[in-house]
Amino acid sequence: MKIARMNIGVLVAAGSLLVGLAGCAGTPGTNGNSATSSSSTNSSSTSSSSPQLSGTVTVYAAASLKATFTTLASEFEAKNPGTKVVLSFAGSSDLVTQITQGAPADVFASADTKNMGKLSDASLLDGKATNFATNVLTIAVPPANPASISSFADLAKPGVKVVVCASQVPCGAAAQSVEKATGTTLKPVSEESSVTDVLGKVTSGEADAGLVYVTDVKSAGDKVKGVPFPESSNAVNTYPIATVGTSKHKDLAAAFISLVTGSEGKKVLGDAGFGVP
């Protein structure tokens, strides 16, 4: 009888030991199974999250982009709290000169491919430029149209005070292309360094007419009257945008370019009168 009791005790003790060992094997982390699963989940979660943008991005853009890029800059800052967009507008050729001389631009948007090509040739771009808009010339006259301008040929009439962009500026190069295509020679009273300066001469009454972009006339509202001419199709300007190679904020530059070339940018540009490349 004593022997039977002893055997039962041994069996109970052995059973307890086996249960204990099974419990240890199932404890999270002791054999690495549960811990590995948790670690994998955390790793996946971490890798899927993108870092929040912050800092300042400096954008050099053609003067004709002032209204649209000001709007897009506000949208960019609203979408990315902690960021700031600094805008600098001028004639594309002037901006190229500034960048080649070391100006701290992160993004460059030109009113033509020729000036963007200058930066590309100088190895001052980070990757390739992206074409994002087109524009064409039109004639801007004061609301009363005192010189009775109704065609491109009228700009060459004696006594007409016409203002154009300088030849190295995209709007000036486009004007020359139209002159060659039509056989018309203009004798401007002034050649300006940006299209906004041409528009300013017209709105101030210093000129009877000025060659500007259709987008400039649209943004000027009732300050000027636009006189379209079919010959403008001979000089369609394509607008490219790119990250400057010396940029220290290429993540911000890429994000801003993505906004400009994306659906939101296309809408803002389209509403302003720009075409699609």
Side-chain angles (χ1 to χ4, degrees):
M1 199 64 163
K2 288 182 181 180
I3 294 174
R5 288 178 181 177
M6 182 183 297
N7 289 340
I8 293 172
V10 170
L11 290 173
V12 171
S16 298
L17 178 60
L18 288 174
V19 170
L21 289 173
C24 288
T27 303
T30 57
N31 66 355
N33 289 340
S34 298
T36 300
S37 175
S38 175
S39 175
S40 176
T41 301
N42 291 338
S43 176
S44 174
S45 175
T46 302
S47 62
S48 65
S49 61
S50 56
Q52 184 176 352
L53 294 173
S54 64
T56 299
V57 59
T58 302
V59 178
Y60 278 32
S64 51
L65 293 167
K66 185 173 183 177
T68 52
F69 269 38
T70 298
T71 298
L72 290 172
S74 296
E75 289 190 13
F76 185 83
E77 292 174 346
K79 282 178 169 291
N80 301 283
T83 63
K84 182 178 181 181
V85 181
V86 175
L87 300 168
S88 180
F89 299 103
S92 297
S93 58
D94 287 342
L95 294 174
V96 166
T97 298
Q98 292 174 35
I99 293 172
T100 55
Q101 291 178 347
D106 297 304
V107 175
F108 174 52
S110 175
D112 67 349
T113 56
K114 181 179 179 181
N115 278 288
M116 182 64 79
K118 292 177 181 178
L119 290 187
S120 178
D121 293 342
S123 299
L124 287 174
L125 295 183
D126 182 48
K128 294 182 179 180
T130 301
N131 296 331
F132 67 94
T134 61
N135 216 344
V136 294
L137 293 177
T138 192
I139 302 169
V141 298
N145 194 6
S148 300
I149 303 297
S150 61
S151 68
F152 186 80
D154 286 343
L155 299 178
K157 288 181 178 180
V160 174
K161 294 183 291 184
V162 61
V163 179
V164 300
C165 290
S167 60
Q168 68 269 22
V169 183
C171 57
Q176 288 189 336
S177 294
V178 176
E179 286 184 72
K180 291 178 181 178
T182 60
T184 304
T185 301
L186 302 182
K187 295 181 179 179
V189 295
S190 177
E191 294 185 353
E192 303 298 321
S193 61
S194 73
V195 70
T196 51
D197 291 337
V198 174
L199 189 67
K201 292 286 185 180
V202 177
T203 56
S204 65
E206 298 178 59
D208 296 321
L211 280 173
V212 300
Y213 295 117
V214 293
T215 53
D216 297 301
V217 168
K218 188 170 184 177
S219 65
D222 58 5
K223 293 180 181 179
V224 298
K225 177 182 178 181
V227 179
F229 56 97
E231 299 90 343
S232 64
S233 61
N234 290 290
V236 178
N237 278 21
T238 298
Y239 286 55
I241 188 170
T243 299
V244 178
T246 55
S247 169
K248 295 181 180 179
H249 309 94
K250 292 180 180 178
D251 55 338
L252 289 170
F256 184 81
I257 290 174
S258 180
L259 175 65
V260 172
T261 58
S263 58
E264 292 176 84
K266 289 177 181 178
K267 183 180 186 308
V268 171
L269 290 160
D271 291 346
F274 286 93
V276 178

